[in-house]
Amino acid sequence: MKEIFTWGSGQRSKRNFTIYDLLNLKGKKKLTQVNCGNEIEVQAAVEANIDLLICLGRDIKMIRANAPNHFITGAILEHEYYNKDDLLKASMRTLENGADAIYTSKNPHVVEYLAKESVPVMAHLGFIPVKSSWTGGIRGTAKTSKEAYKLYQQFKDMENAGAVLVEAEVIAGDVLSEISKRTSMITVSLGSGNGGDVNYLFMCDICGENEDLPRHAIQYGNLLLLNQKIQKERVKALKKFNADAKKNNFAKKGNIVSISKSELDIFLKKI
């Protein structure tokens, strides 16, 4: 654990990794990252010793409360802020609320604007879902030499803009492997093979919560089946309640607060 001063209040705290650590570990040690959206998920990630966490920026206080010492990236989504000044304010708030870095899929000019204020930025390259129309729909990237070289230039642009980390999504594995060797950014591979510095998957895919698993995802659990069983049990219980609650003998003695007959008689006289 490394001791740090937090953003905003400047309180002493500890982290499993700092930005400095991540940069020095590049190419030397493979790390893991998952997304967290609630207390149960973050507690599971911490117990499983996942290295890095990412969450929505608006959830950062809750995630930080449950993972006090983890490196956490707060994601600020494309549609949440439309200009760089508002994004800078949101980034600062996210850092002050407990994040160690912020994620944005904005362009290098915006990343540079944030980086100049020492905001640690995770950029996003490769397949970017909200920008899929520009790349011909939902598909992998860098499958041709032309695409691969264009992507390499985009990596260098983000690096020169000051990004520290980059989510590399659904990029040809060999291409990311070669690009990662040639950039100072920490490459976070999401469906882009083993050549990145960090392997990242969504928790819902890891735990098997979806019926349709993306091609790049790897399932290790089967929460969908368990959740379906839980839902059946929930409906079963509700049906029993619905039937019983419509009867006059629904509530039994053990479920009701009682009053003595003498006190009840006094009450009845008063009304």
Side-chain angles (χ1 to χ4, degrees):
M1 289 286 175
K2 298 296 179 65
E3 195 167 20
I4 65 163
F5 287 107
T6 61
W7 287 82
S9 62
Q11 294 180 336
R12 284 181 179 271
S13 188
K14 292 183 179 180
R15 293 289 185 271
N16 58 345
F17 296 98
T18 64
I19 293 290
Y20 180 87
D21 296 325
L22 295 177
L23 292 172
N24 279 291
L25 286 172
K26 180 175 173 63
K28 301 174 185 175
K29 182 180 180 180
K30 192 76 71 176
L31 300 177
T32 55
Q33 176 179 282
V34 299
N35 66 308
C36 299
N38 56 50
E39 289 92 342
I40 292 173
E41 290 180 348
V42 67
Q43 288 165 8
V46 170
E47 189 172 341
N49 294 319
I50 300 297
D51 296 309
L52 312 175
L53 307 179
I54 186 169
C55 67
L56 294 176
R58 60 178 176 265
D59 293 334
I60 189 64
K61 282 187 175 181
M62 176 267 292
I63 299 298
R64 173 56 70 203
N66 288 276
N69 303 130
H70 266 65
F71 186 98
I72 304 175
T73 299
I76 301 176
L77 303 182
E78 185 78 20
H79 65 274
E80 292 182 305
Y81 298 95
Y82 297 119
N83 65 63
K84 60 184 181 181
D85 290 322
D86 286 343
L87 181 57
L88 176 59
K89 291 176 185 177
S91 299
M92 288 301 186
R93 281 196 301 268
T94 303
L95 293 169
E96 290 166 6
N97 287 336
D100 299 294
I102 69 102
Y103 158 94
T104 179
S105 58
K106 298 288 189 183
N107 64 56
H109 301 293
V110 177
V111 170
E112 182 178 28
Y113 187 68
L114 300 179
K116 283 182 176 179
E117 294 297 333
S118 298
V119 174
V121 178
M122 176 188 284
H124 192 163
L125 291 172
F127 173 66
I128 305 174
V130 297
K131 299 179 180 178
S132 57
S133 182
W134 285 97
T135 55
I138 301 172
R139 67 179 185 87
T141 58
K143 295 194 290 184
T144 66
S145 58
K146 183 179 178 179
E147 273 191 358
Y149 185 68
K150 181 179 179 181
L151 181 65
Y152 170 72
Q153 291 176 313
Q154 292 172 341
F155 267 77
K156 299 309 288 184
D157 288 342
M158 282 297 187
E159 177 185 318
N160 292 331
V164 179
L165 307 99
V166 57
E167 180 178 324
E169 185 168 355
V170 197
I171 296 167
D174 290 340
V175 173
L176 178 62
S177 183
E178 294 301 325
I179 290 177
S180 189
K181 298 172 187 176
R182 294 167 172 82
T183 179
S184 62
M185 294 185 294
I186 307 302
T187 52
V188 181
S189 173
L190 177 59
S192 299
N194 298 309
D197 301 301
V198 180
N199 278 327
Y200 170 35
L201 284 177
F202 286 173
M203 186 170 291
C204 60
D205 293 330
I206 295 170
C207 298
E209 296 182 68
N210 300 320
E211 289 187 10
D212 298 318
L213 195 70
R215 176 183 172 182
H216 67 267
I218 303 171
Q219 181 177 327
Y220 292 90
N222 195 353
L223 286 185
L224 178 63
L225 181 62
L226 293 175
N227 287 333
Q228 288 172 339
K229 288 182 178 179
I230 290 171
Q231 183 67 1
K232 286 181 181 179
E233 188 66 21
R234 181 179 287 114
V235 172
K236 180 181 174 182
L238 287 169
K239 283 182 176 179
K240 288 182 177 179
F241 160 75
N242 192 40
D244 283 354
K246 293 174 181 177
K247 300 175 183 176
N248 288 327
N249 65 346
F250 163 65
K252 303 299 186 289
K253 262 192 172 183
N255 306 118
I256 308 170
V257 175
S258 60
I259 183 172
S260 68
K261 187 178 183 308
S262 60
E263 290 295 324
L264 180 60
D265 289 340
I266 294 171
F267 164 68
L268 291 174
K269 287 178 182 178
K270 288 183 176 182
I271 62 171

